């Protein structure tokens, strides 16, 4: 029996919203390439997206159709909510062949279904949708007009239901467990890879009440000079005495991600680290005081910038983004960004990961929160002490 993450009524509500936007754009068919969007629409969950995989949403009131590799259609029958005939596998002889492509077969299937004419919306910025895949698909559907529908589904996803928020609350508990594990294991002489092993154990098995999933981004622990670069991976390097260690971790439940960044100090805290942390923590308070319905994303960033300018600091990158359901290689939703120029008006149900990182010359610190926009203000779903954790 299929154990769906949500009631069928929720999937139908999502489809109604997607089709309303399709109608507004005069789209007859939507081809969904983004793996997180595919999961959001159908419930399908599998590590099969290394071969071409699409979800088709017709404007007409029919079920969506998942199409992927034939051997993975069995996973669709176990995880997706649609009728079996709407979980379709392309033949194995189309997998990684030079003389044919899965999109050749998918285009032919779309034509046979009668969906090969009219205006087709397609996500052109999806991570696993290659230029060759697009060329073969469009060549196979010569009677269709294609329109970029990138982020159509993502913007609908940016407002969370109560059921989605419940998963995010659970994910927040796992994020807290991951940071707790990091605080316990990281010490001078400990290898980074051994710390990561403990952190990942907490991410997956951090609660007796629900399972953790793999995170869309791997755990990031940045010690010493590595902390000046926000996305360096771990190694067998050993933590040194008197290092500042930045942590960017997450918890994930049913693919819903809550991020949590914190900073550790091994040994005595240098004055420059302490002074910068004061600016960052005050900046987070300003961010939380600003986030509420009706406020723009750029106004949230401006509140942070006003604080750090008083400390003589500057940060060029954005300070947050919309977060929710996610698959590798990224957990952001690619919609709301807390940065100058983003005039998106926040509304209840938005969930933001605000990450305040200062990457300096040879060191860095990070503090973040996963924040729900509520009817009257906001709620931090991740609740963990923000001060730099000093471990002597």
């Amino acid at each position: 029996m299929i154990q769906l993450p949500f009631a069928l009524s929720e999937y139908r509500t999502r489809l109604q919203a997607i089709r309303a936007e399709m109608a507004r754009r005069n789209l007859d068919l939507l081809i969904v390439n983004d793996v997180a969007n595919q999961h959001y629409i159908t419930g399908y969950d599998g590590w099969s997206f290394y071969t071409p995989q699409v979800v088709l949403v017709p404007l007409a009131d029919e079920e969506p159709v998942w199409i992927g590799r034939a051997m993975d259609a069995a996973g669709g029958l176990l995880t997706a909510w649609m009728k079996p005939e709407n979980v379709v596998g392309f033949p194995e002889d189309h997998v990684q062949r030079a003389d044919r492509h899965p999109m050749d077969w998918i285009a032919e299937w779309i034509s046979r279904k009668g969906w090969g004419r009219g205006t087709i919306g397609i996500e052109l910025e999806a991570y696993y949708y290659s230029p060759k895949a697009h060329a073969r698909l469009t060549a196979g559907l010569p009677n269709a007009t294609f329109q970029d529908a990138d982020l159509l589904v993502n913007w609908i996803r940016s407002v969370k239901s109560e059921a989605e928020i419940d998963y995010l609350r659970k994910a927040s508990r796992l994020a807290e467990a991951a940071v707790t594990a990091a605080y316990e294991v990281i010490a001078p002489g400990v290898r980074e890879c051994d710390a990561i092993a403990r952190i990942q154990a907490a991410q997956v098995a951090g609660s007796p009440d629900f399972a953790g999933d793999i995170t869309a981004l791997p755990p990031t622990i940045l010690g010493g000079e590595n902390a000046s670069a926000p996305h360096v991976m771990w190694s067998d390097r050993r933590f040194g005495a008197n290092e500042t260690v930045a942590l960017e971790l997450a918890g994930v439940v049913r693919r819903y991600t809550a991020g949590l960044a914190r900073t550790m100090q091994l040994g005595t805290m240098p004055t420059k680290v302490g002074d910068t942390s004061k600016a960052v923590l005050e900046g987070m308070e300003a961010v939380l005081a600003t986030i509420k319905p009706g406020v723009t994303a750029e106004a949230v960033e401006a509140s942070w910038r006003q604080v750090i300018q008083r400390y003589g600091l500057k940060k060029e990158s954005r300070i947050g983004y919309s977060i929710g359901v996610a698959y590798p290689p990224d957990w952001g939703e690619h919609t709301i960004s807390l940065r100058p120029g983003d005039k998106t008006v926040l509304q209840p149900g938005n969930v933001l990961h605000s990450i305040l990182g200062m990457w300096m010359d040879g060191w860095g610190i990070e503090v973040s929160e996963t924040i729900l926009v509520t009817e009257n203000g906001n709620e931090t779903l991740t609740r963990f002490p923000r001060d730099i954790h000093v471990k002597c």
Side-chain angles (χ1 to χ4, degrees):
M1 182 177 179
I2 296 175
Q3 296 292 322
L4 291 171
F6 302 98
L8 279 176
S9 59
E10 176 131 357
Y11 291 105
R12 293 189 178 111
T13 297
R14 295 173 182 180
L15 276 174
Q16 288 174 355
I18 291 167
R19 285 181 167 134
E21 182 60 20
M22 289 173 62
R24 191 186 71 80
R25 301 189 190 192
N26 297 313
L27 302 179
D28 301 295
L29 177 70
L30 178 65
I31 300 180
V32 180
N33 301 310
D34 183 292
V35 181
N37 289 343
Q38 293 174 5
H39 177 71
Y40 180 78
I41 294 167
T42 70
Y44 175 81
D45 191 17
W47 201 273
S48 53
F49 43 85
Y50 59 91
T51 59
Q53 180 175 295
V54 300
V55 166
L56 308 176
V57 180
L59 182 62
D61 187 17
E62 300 181 48
E63 288 185 355
V65 177
W66 177 93
I67 303 181
R69 189 178 181 182
M71 69 165 58
D72 292 310
L77 297 175
L78 293 172
T79 60
W81 60 266
M82 299 89 69
K83 297 183 182 72
E85 58 264 33
N86 290 323
V87 176
V88 179
F90 60 76
E92 286 295 311
D93 64 4
H94 279 62
V95 176
Q96 298 177 0
R97 290 275 296 267
D99 62 338
R100 66 196 70 177
H101 195 278
M103 285 300 174
D104 301 336
W105 191 93
I106 291 172
E108 184 179 350
W109 190 94
I110 291 172
S111 293
R112 289 200 309 269
K113 184 71 173 177
W115 295 345
R117 299 178 181 274
T119 302
I120 297 177
I122 189 162
E123 297 175 327
L124 291 178
E125 191 70 9
Y127 285 117
Y128 303 103
Y129 187 57
S130 71
K132 179 179 281 189
H134 185 66
R136 300 296 278 263
L137 180 69
T138 54
L141 295 170
N143 298 315
T145 299
F146 283 86
Q147 183 183 121
D148 186 8
D150 185 49
L151 303 183
L152 184 158
V153 178
N154 301 59
W155 278 107
I156 291 168
R157 282 171 44 198
S158 69
V159 179
K160 308 297 186 293
S161 68
E162 287 299 323
E164 290 178 290
I165 292 167
D166 182 61
Y167 284 132
L168 286 162
R169 292 186 193 281
K170 292 175 179 177
S172 296
R173 305 292 79 77
L174 295 185
E176 293 160 2
V179 175
T180 299
Y183 284 0
E184 291 172 350
V185 68
I186 293 174
V190 172
R191 297 188 305 169
E192 290 178 344
C193 54
D194 294 329
I196 288 290
R198 283 279 301 276
I199 289 166
Q200 289 186 316
Q203 289 173 321
V204 175
S207 172
D209 301 318
F210 45 83
D213 294 333
I214 186 171
T215 55
L217 286 167
T220 301
I221 50 174
L222 304 170
E225 290 187 355
N226 285 354
S228 64
H231 298 126
V232 173
M233 299 299 292
W234 69 80
S235 69
D236 61 356
R237 189 189 78 90
R238 296 182 185 274
F239 293 102
N242 302 315
E243 277 191 357
T244 305
V245 183
L247 310 166
E248 186 176 347
L249 308 177
V252 185
V253 175
R254 298 306 291 259
R255 300 295 178 187
Y256 282 81
T257 299
L260 184 61
R262 290 293 185 266
T263 302
M264 293 182 67
Q265 178 64 49
L266 302 179
T268 303
M269 186 186 303
T271 300
K272 61 185 179 181
V273 174
D275 290 345
T276 303
S277 72
K278 291 178 184 177
V280 171
L281 294 174
E282 185 179 333
M284 180 60 79
E285 291 297 334
V287 164
L288 293 172
T290 305
I291 291 177
K292 62 181 178 181
V295 170
T296 63
E298 67 176 359
V300 176
E301 191 278 340
S303 70
W304 147 261
R305 189 159 21 92
Q306 289 169 5
V307 170
I308 64 170
Q309 284 176 344
R310 294 202 309 270
Y311 286 85
L313 299 173
K314 185 178 181 180
K315 176 179 165 66
E316 298 291 347
S317 59
R318 65 181 180 173
I319 64 161
Y321 43 82
S322 184
I323 196 169
V325 63
Y327 282 74
D330 183 21
W331 61 43
E333 289 184 327
H334 301 185
T335 51
I336 304 167
S337 283
L338 303 181
R339 62 184 171 198
D342 190 329
K343 300 186 184 301
T344 304
V345 177
L346 301 183
Q347 56 183 307
N350 291 151
V351 178
L352 309 169
H353 182 219
S354 179
I355 179 163
L356 307 182
M358 296 298 298
W359 299 287
M360 316 300 277
D361 184 15
W363 60 280
I365 65 175
E366 295 185 41
V367 173
S368 82
E369 297 289 356
T370 296
I371 306 163
L372 168 67
V373 182
T374 63
E375 292 291 339
N376 300 312
N378 67 76
E379 175 190 348
T380 54
L381 298 182
T382 42
R383 300 169 183 170
F384 201 86
R386 295 188 196 121
D387 291 339
I388 290 182
H389 180 72
V390 179
K391 191 171 184 178
C392 297

